[in-house]
Amino acid sequence: MTIPDWQQKAAAKQAEAAAKIPKEWRVAASILQGIDDEQGVLAIPQRCGILTPKELEITETVDATALRDKLAARELTAVEVTTAFCKRAAIAQQITSCLTETMFPQALARAKELDDYLQKTGKPMGPLHGLPISLKETFNVQGVHSSLGLVSFLDRPEANQNSALVEILLAAGAVLYVKTNVPQTMMTADSENNVFGRVLNPHRRNLTAGGSSGGEGALIALRGSLLGIGTDIAGSIRIPALCCGTFGFKPSVGRVPYAGQASAARPGMTGIAPVAGPLCHSARDAELLLRVVMEAPVDDLDDNALGFPWIEPAPLTAPALTIGVLPEDPQVPWHPNMQRTVKTAVERLAAAGHHIVDLSGQIQCINEASDISFQFFRIDPEQTQVKHVSSSGEPFIKSLRYTYNLEGNDPEPTLGDLFNLNVARANVAAIMRRVYVASRLDVIIGPGNQSCAGPHDTYGIPVYTVLANLVDYPACVIPFGKANEAADAEYVRDVAYNPPYCPKEVENAPCHVQLIGRRLKDERLMQHAKIVESVLASKSA
C-alpha cells in the first residue's frame, strides 16, 4: 500500500521534532503507557525522575514575576533556569503534544550570554533578563520553521527574520526556547493538526486544551512555561486559558505589535483584527509582559501598532468596583458548572464590597455578535485557509466544520455583505458602550464559555469570547474553581445545553470567569483584574 505524500511529509517532521528531545529527557515508556486520560498528567513532571529537586523548585516558582526577580537578584542563573524549563517543556510535549518547534541548544547559548553579560556589567540585560518565554507557533523566529501545522507549509524555508514582538522580547533579555501547537488553519477552538497532532488537556486528556493557542495553555498548566505569548481573534488566548486553568489576557488591537507573524489567512484580510497577548499564572505576570512591550518602540517595528506607552491608571476614587454581570444568551445556556462558578464569584465580589449590576435584558446581542464575527471570518471568497489544507491532500480536522463550510458551496460574499457587516458590528459596539456608560461600569464579569473544557471536538463556536473581539474590548480570563458534579447538580436545568452537559467527563476540570473592559483601556482592565483575582483567591471572601 502506497503511503500518501502528505503522510510521509508529516511523519518526517514528527521524527525531526522527536529527535530534538535529548534521550535523558525522555519520559519512561512505562509511565507513558500507564497514563489514564481521565485522570490527567499534572503530576508527571514531579514523578518522572527527569527533573532534579532544584529544577522542580525553579519550575514551580509561583509565577514569572517572582522568577524574574530571582534572576535579577542573582539567586539563579539564566542557564539554570533555561535548562529547567527546557527539560520540563520536553516532558510536557511527550504527554500533551503541546510543542511544534524546540530551540533548546539556541536557548542555552542565549542563557549563557545573558549570564556572562550580568557577570561583566553587574546589570541585567533588560526587564525580562533570563526569563524563558514560550511562543505560539505563529511567531517567526529567525532560523526556525513556522509551518503552522499545515502540510503544505512544511516545504517552506525557515524564517529569515523575527516577528516584531520577538525582537522586543529579545531586547528585554528574554530567552525563547519553544514554539507551541495550534489547530489546522488556527480557526477552531480544538488545537489539532495532521503534523504535530492534538494538544491534550493536562487536567484530563479526554478534554480539549482549547485553541488556537492550545499548546500554550497546556504547556503553562504543566509549568513547562510560566509566561507564554498567544494570539486571539475570537478567543484564542482566553479559550486555552479557561480550558487549562491559566490566566489569559487579550489586549485591544494595536497595543501589542502583531507584525511579522506567519499566517494562513489571505493577505489584506479585513474585518476583525487579531491581537497578541500573554498566557501565564497571574495577573501581575500579564502586567509585567504588557508593560515591557508597551514601553518598547512598537511603532518602529509594526506599522499598525498604536505606539503609545503603558499609561499607569490613576488610583481608584472608591475602593469598590462597579461590576456588571454579563447575561446568559438563551440560545447558549451556561452549563451547571459555569452557572455555579459565576454565581459564586459574583457573591464573593459583593461580599468584598463591590457593587454588582445585573445586566439582564441589556445585552441581547451575544449570539448575534458571534454570527457577525464568523461572517467576517468567512468573507474571503477564495477560502484561502481551507485551500492551504486541501492543496496538500491532507484531511480536514473534525472541528474545522464549526468555522467553515468545507464543501465550498456557500454563495460568494459580496462587497455589499461587507458593508452590512460593518454596520452590524457598529450596532453591537454601540450597545456595549451604552451599557457601560448607563450603569457607570468599571468592568463586566461573565463566563468565557458556557462550560469548562469539554470533550475533544465539541467546543464549537466561541460565543462568549468573540464578543470582545468584535467590539475590540480588552478581556481576560481568571481561573476560579473546578467542575464538581455534586455541587453543580442543583444548577441543572431543563434546557438544551450545547454542547451536551456531561458532568462525569468534565469532573475536576478548571472553571473560570472572564472580565471585559473598555476599548484601549487595557491598563484599567489590568488594575481591575488584579482586584478581582485577589478577591477570588481569598479564602475568607
Side-chain angles (χ1 to χ4, degrees):
M1 179 178 175
T2 303
I3 300 175
D5 182 58
W6 77 264
Q7 287 187 344
Q8 294 181 48
K9 289 183 176 181
K13 183 63 177 179
Q14 292 160 12
E16 173 192 300
K20 291 181 179 179
I21 296 179
K23 185 177 180 180
E24 59 272 21
W25 296 359
R26 296 179 187 171
V27 179
S30 58
I31 293 177
L32 296 176
Q33 292 164 4
I35 292 175
D36 180 342
D37 284 351
E38 295 192 0
Q39 296 303 313
V41 292
L42 290 170
I44 285 182
Q46 292 97 325
R47 67 181 181 86
C48 68
I50 293 171
L51 297 166
T52 67
K54 185 169 187 179
E55 288 165 346
L56 282 170
E57 181 182 354
I58 289 170
T59 53
E60 292 173 15
T61 302
V62 62
D63 61 10
T65 303
L67 183 60
R68 187 277 310 264
D69 292 345
K70 290 182 178 182
L71 283 158
R74 302 197 200 186
E75 295 176 28
L76 296 169
T77 68
V79 168
E80 286 178 312
V81 170
T82 300
T83 300
F85 279 97
C86 286
K87 291 173 72 173
R88 191 149 182 158
I91 296 166
Q93 161 63 8
Q94 294 169 76
I95 55 181
T96 63
S97 301
C98 57
L99 305 182
T100 55
E101 304 289 339
T102 56
M103 303 169 276
F104 300 146
Q106 302 96 311
L108 290 167
R110 161 77 168 174
K112 186 177 186 309
E113 290 175 5
L114 292 167
D115 285 337
D116 291 345
Y117 180 90
L118 182 59
Q119 180 67 31
K120 181 178 179 180
T121 67
K123 298 184 297 183
M125 183 172 285
L128 301 177
H129 179 96
L131 190 64
I133 294 181
S134 50
L135 299 170
K136 186 175 182 175
E137 163 69 5
T138 54
F139 287 93
N140 280 323
V141 177
Q142 189 171 10
V144 180
H145 280 112
S146 295
S147 69
L148 310 184
L150 292 167
V151 174
S152 62
F153 282 22
L154 290 176
D155 293 331
R156 294 189 173 189
E158 298 166 341
N160 58 15
Q161 61 183 19
N162 293 325
S163 297
L165 188 53
V166 168
E167 291 285 355
I168 291 170
L169 296 175
L170 291 173
V175 177
L176 309 179
Y177 63 118
V178 291
K179 297 213 294 178
T180 53
N181 206 356
V182 294
Q184 188 184 67
T185 76
M186 293 184 300
M187 290 302 295
T188 95
D190 286 271
S191 291
E192 178 195 13
N193 61 74
N194 294 314
V195 177
F196 301 108
R198 182 193 292 277
V199 183
L200 305 175
N201 192 315
H203 292 271
R204 290 182 63 132
R205 299 204 315 173
N206 64 309
L207 304 180
T208 183
S212 62
S213 309
E216 282 297 330
L219 180 66
I220 290 168
L222 280 162
R223 293 186 164 268
S225 172
L226 295 186
L227 177 58
I229 314 293
T231 67
D232 194 312
I233 196 171
S236 293
I237 289 170
R238 292 159 291 153
I239 295 168
L242 71 87
C243 286
C244 296
T246 78
F247 187 94
F249 192 100
K250 179 204 84 70
S252 303
V253 172
R255 295 302 308 273
V256 174
Y258 196 87
Q261 291 193 55
S263 174
R266 183 177 182 174
M269 186 73 171
T270 189
I272 300 173
V275 298
L279 290 90
C280 46
H281 287 279
S282 64
R284 72 173 187 166
D285 279 0
E287 180 175 334
L288 168 67
L289 186 281
L290 293 174
R291 278 180 179 271
V292 169
V293 172
M294 291 179 188
E295 291 294 337
V298 295
D299 48 343
D300 289 347
L301 297 167
D302 183 345
D303 297 324
N304 294 313
L306 295 178
F308 62 87
W310 177 273
I311 300 172
E312 190 65 33
L316 296 174
T317 55
L321 299 177
T322 300
I323 303 172
V325 181
L326 188 74
E328 175 185 72
D329 188 291
Q331 297 181 65
V332 193
W334 302 354
H335 285 207
N337 45 56
M338 283 310 305
Q339 194 178 3
R340 175 179 57 83
T341 296
V342 173
K343 180 175 182 288
T344 303
V346 168
E347 288 173 348
R348 284 200 183 188
L349 289 162
H354 298 287
H355 179 49
I356 305 300
V357 180
D358 184 353
L359 299 179
S360 296
Q362 297 185 51
I363 304 177
Q364 299 181 346
C365 58
I366 296 174
N367 204 59
E368 177 191 357
S370 175
D371 288 342
I372 295 165
S373 300
F374 275 78
Q375 288 180 65
F376 271 122
F377 299 148
R378 301 173 185 131
I379 201 70
D380 174 14
E382 299 295 324
Q383 284 202 307
T384 302
Q385 287 156 299
V386 174
K387 286 183 177 178
H388 283 314
V389 179
S390 58
S391 65
S392 69
E394 65 170 305
F396 297 117
I397 61 169
K398 189 175 180 181
S399 63
L400 204 59
R401 71 187 188 276
Y402 293 115
T403 307
Y404 299 113
N405 174 1
L406 300 176
E407 301 299 320
N409 54 10
D410 281 341
E412 184 171 310
T414 67
L415 189 58
D417 292 334
L418 180 58
F419 275 74
N420 292 337
L421 286 174
N422 287 332
V423 171
R425 174 165 60 176
N427 290 338
V428 174
I431 290 169
M432 295 297 291
R433 171 180 50 79
R434 287 194 291 265
V435 166
Y436 273 92
V437 173
S439 297
R440 297 186 177 183
L441 299 179
D442 291 307
V443 70
I444 287 176
I445 191 171
N449 187 46
Q450 62 269 29
S451 173
C452 57
H456 298 299
D457 300 322
T458 66
Y459 196 99
I461 300 295
V463 171
Y464 288 103
T465 50
V466 76
L467 172 65
N469 298 89
L470 182 68
V471 298
D472 188 22
Y473 282 12
C476 66
V477 157
I478 301 174
F480 179 55
K482 292 186 176 182
N484 181 310
E485 183 179 5
D488 297 334
E490 66 177 283
Y491 295 92
V492 175
R493 296 170 288 165
D494 184 19
V495 296
Y497 292 115
N498 184 24
Y501 175 52
C502 305
K504 289 182 170 50
E505 293 186 47
V506 303
E507 184 74 0
N508 291 320
C511 291
H512 68 281
V513 294
Q514 178 180 216
L515 303 182
I516 304 174
R518 293 290 301 279
R519 182 172 179 265
L520 297 179
K521 297 182 178 180
D522 300 58
E523 297 91 341
R524 184 66 75 181
L525 175 60
M526 187 65 74
Q527 181 186 48
H528 299 156
K530 289 190 291 184
I531 293 169
V532 173
E533 179 187 62
S534 176
V535 170
L536 297 186
S538 173
K539 301 296 183 184
S540 60

